[in-house]
Amino acid sequence: ELKVEQNPLFLSMQEGKNYTIYCNYSTTSDRLYWYRQDPGKSLESLFVLLSNGAVKQEGRLMASLDTKARLSTLHITAAVHDLSATYFCAVPRYSGGGADGLTFGKGTHLIIQP
Amino acid sequence: NAGVTQTPKFQVLKTGQSMTLQCAQDMNHEYMSWYRQDPGMGLRLIHYSVGAGITDQGEVPNGYNVSRSTTEDFPLRLLSAAPSQTSVYFCASSASSPGNTIYFGEGSWLTVV
């Protein structure tokens, strides 16, 4: 059974600081998704990582995937208040799958304080 | 630019009532799925479909039925609502090729009293 674990689950940090969210998963997968969710809102796609060693960056967020270690990281550089949200990683349940089923981590609730 | 549309956005049901959550997408996506989100649990897959006429169970299917008669629509039916089904429900869709972006609807907030 695929398990996806994120840590930390809660993170309070100051503006301007750097931090990393970790996502470990228990079975082989060559793809991983990162999403952002604001309170009361839907999920916004941040990154789709498609292969071992994949690295993608958008603004102050950078995501990477190590399929051998079954680990993905979401790195936040020089955090700003607008990045406060809950971040989820998700892994396809089946190799080759997509929206036919993702297993999500429990989410990292990120608060960035001035 | 509708994307994935869910209705209703909010609903209160009494225990034992039935209802259908609607999901429609206008992107001609083959794959569609339903998730529920509960506090501290992340999202959990209820049912999914890889095309019209094809559905399968996800992680938490009990108490829910689905059908997929068209590519565009994927309704989720609660046959006899229970308080444990109080949750936020999200519909998602994507094209079939691995690695495509998966789009989520705005969510349906359901309370069963």
Side-chain angles (χ1 to χ4, degrees), chain A residues 35 37 40 42 50 99-100 102, chain B residues 33 35 37 48 94 99 102 105 109:
Chain A
Y35 289 90
Q37 187 180 38
S42 184
L50 297 177
D100 56 335
L102 296 175
Chain B
S33 51
Y35 295 84
Q37 184 176 27
Y48 64 93
S94 83
I102 300 171
W109 274 252

Side-chain angles (χ1 to χ4, degrees), chain B residues 86-99:
Chain B
T86 294
S87 189
V88 183
Y89 292 84
F90 288 98
C91 180
S93 78
S94 83
S96 60
S97 302

